[in-house]
Amino acid sequence: MMTPTKLCRFGSHRVLEPTGSLPQAAWRLDAMPVAHENEILCDVEALCIDSASFAQLRAACGDDLRAIEERILEIVQERGKMHNPVTGSGGMFVGMVREVGTALRGHLPLRGGDRIASLVSLTLTPLRIEEILGIDVRTARVRVRGTAILFESAAWAALPSDLDDGVALAVFDVAGAPAQVARLCESGQTVVVIGADGKSGMLACVQAKQQVGSEGRVVGVVPDARSRGARLLKEAAIVDALVEADARDALLLHRRVEAVAAGLADLVVNCVNVAGTEPGSILCAREGGRIYFFSMATSFTAAALCAEGLGKDVTMIVGNGYAPNHAQVALETLRLRPAVLQYFHEVYARS
Ligand code: NAP
């Protein structure tokens, strides 16, 4: 492959269509497995497909594993990245560094053979899949043989030596959630976490409880209070109250949250993987409160118009998956509660 004349630290030199755009916004990337001087070439071992994307793929493929596999291959072949055209979301990968580009050598604490997890979305990561080796439906993890390119601007993390890869991958995938919650919560506040028994939801609850302290209140919303994750939240006192509700049923959710948090939430954290939960999230926030939409199934239009229609003066925050040191904060959050660490091991460790 010819080396592009101008290499961009954000990777725009890899964009094939439409030229001139950034990789995330692009339709198609060049995924040629060659490390240009400002790139890192990795051998990919596994993809952690974003939860909203995986839920969509499962629904569209009628839960047929072979059909999901074919759809993933088709998307990557067509776009040069795992960028689900329906949900617009990606995920991240874990793999081994094959080559660090010449301009980066000696400037990064990274060498060929290091095992890392990407901390940037698969929606902007040039990716080639040679073979899918297996799909774990429970964890949305896809074992592959393939290659990926990380740009100069990309974030990545070395895999911790004292943690199972699958657990690290699960935590890194949603690292932005606990890191943002740590910044958004204050002592004594009431925080409602919707989708509390999922990966990001559970870490958000742990971090929220840490921040609001004994004077504050954390309410977890789950679709089924009998689920293992939901029971853990209650039994390990990670939440002060558990609410069972389908978050798409806004009025029911509002009623049930108000019953346990009369003044409603200072902060609502939305961690679900389904569409249609914007109205419920907005109703759970107090006047002047904040809503952090971490969910990739969030519609900006629905959120903005619903808040306007309800006459609700709330601040809504787009779920930026990045915050400084987010991987570190997420790992520390996991380790705050041995029961949660054990649960993550039982659910997400590599089988
Ligand atoms: P996850 O582990 O699959 O958790 C999703 C949770 O939502 C589950 O606990 C699920 O409960 C719950 N849920 C589903 N439908 C619900 C409903 N109708 N009412 C109430 N709860 C419901 O997902 P995750 O990995 O934590 O990801 C959560 C969201 O964050 C996804 O939308 C994902 O795309 C997004 N995300 C965003 C970023 C970012 O940078 N902003 C990064 C990664 C992921 P059950 O399991 O019991 O059904």
Side-chain angles (χ1 to χ4, degrees):
M1 184 181 65
M2 298 261 296
T3 300
T5 44
K6 197 161 184 325
L7 294 173
C8 164
R9 71 183 299 268
F10 305 116
S12 65
H13 55 273
R14 285 269 181 177
V15 173
L16 296 176
E17 198 186 324
T19 49
S21 64
L22 285 166
Q24 206 286 327
W27 175 255
R28 194 157 67 91
L29 301 180
D30 171 6
M32 188 66 80
V34 173
H36 293 314
E37 61 190 59
N38 68 343
E39 296 177 341
I40 301 158
L41 170 64
C42 300
D43 288 309
V44 178
E45 296 165 19
L47 306 175
C48 184
I49 304 288
D50 168 74
S51 181
S53 172
F54 198 68
Q56 188 278 328
L57 291 169
R58 282 183 70 174
C61 299
D63 260 338
D64 176 346
L65 269 190
R66 181 52 64 88
I68 296 173
E69 185 175 319
E70 275 166 19
R71 186 63 192 127
I72 291 173
L73 287 171
E74 200 174 71
I75 292 171
V76 174
Q77 172 77 25
E78 187 181 352
R79 306 197 66 174
K81 55 179 176 170
M82 183 52 211
H83 189 162
N84 184 324
V86 179
T87 61
S89 57
M92 29 96 68
F93 78 83
V94 65
M96 189 180 281
V97 174
R98 192 196 292 183
E99 190 183 345
V100 178
T102 51
L104 302 180
R105 281 179 213 162
H107 298 284
L108 296 176
L110 205 57
R111 283 186 310 198
D114 287 350
R115 296 191 64 239
I116 60 166
S118 65
L119 294 178
V120 285
S121 173
L122 288 174
T123 63
L124 58 87
T125 304
L127 178 70
R128 253 193 194 194
I129 299 181
E130 274 139 47
E131 192 185 358
I132 290 187
L133 303 170
I135 298 182
D136 181 350
V137 174
R138 213 170 32 95
T139 59
R141 199 159 55 220
V142 181
R143 286 190 303 113
V144 302
R145 214 158 46 77
T147 52
I149 301 290
L150 288 175
F151 303 127
E152 195 177 343
S153 59
W156 47 268
L159 286 165
S161 54
D162 61 341
L163 207 59
D164 176 274
D165 282 4
V167 177
L169 197 59
V171 172
F172 287 154
D173 179 35
V174 297
Q180 298 287 1
V181 167
R183 302 204 292 196
L184 292 169
C185 293
E186 282 166 32
S187 174
Q189 285 188 328
T190 297
V191 179
V192 169
V193 178
I194 305 178
D197 57 346
K199 291 201 294 282
S200 55
M202 204 170 274
L203 294 176
C205 286
V206 171
Q207 189 54 244
K209 193 63 210 157
Q210 181 75 0
Q211 299 300 328
V212 302
S214 55
E215 302 294 301
R217 200 161 165 71
V218 176
V219 177
V221 177
V222 294
D224 179 0
R226 292 162 307 175
S227 78
R228 205 161 139 228
R231 281 187 283 120
L232 169 70
L233 288 169
K234 197 80 175 81
E235 285 158 14
I238 294 156
V239 295
D240 299 288
L242 197 63
V243 164
E244 184 179 73
D246 180 337
R248 292 168 296 193
D249 187 339
L251 294 172
L252 174 79
L253 175 64
H254 176 239
R255 256 197 326 274
R256 293 198 172 161
V257 165
E258 205 173 30
V260 296
L264 296 173
D266 298 292
L267 174 70
V268 175
V269 184
N270 183 316
C271 291
V272 304
N273 57 356
V274 292
T277 63
E278 299 85 354
S281 304
I282 292 166
L283 280 180
C284 289
R286 67 164 170 81
E287 277 301 307
R290 294 189 286 185
I291 304 151
Y292 176 58
F293 282 112
F294 188 69
S295 166
M296 286 288 171
T298 305
S299 154
F300 174 88
T301 319
L305 295 177
C306 177
E308 183 197 75
L310 293 168
K312 199 102 188 199
D313 179 20
V314 287
T315 300
M316 296 189 281
I317 304 161
V318 174
N320 183 353
Y322 174 78
N325 296 323
H326 60 331
Q328 202 50 39
V329 174
L331 287 175
E332 284 164 13
T333 306
L334 179 73
R335 290 178 170 128
L336 278 172
R337 296 295 194 118
V340 174
L341 177 60
Q342 189 188 334
Y343 173 81
F344 266 63
H345 259 281
E346 286 165 13
V347 177
Y348 300 108
R350 274 217 292 198
S351 42

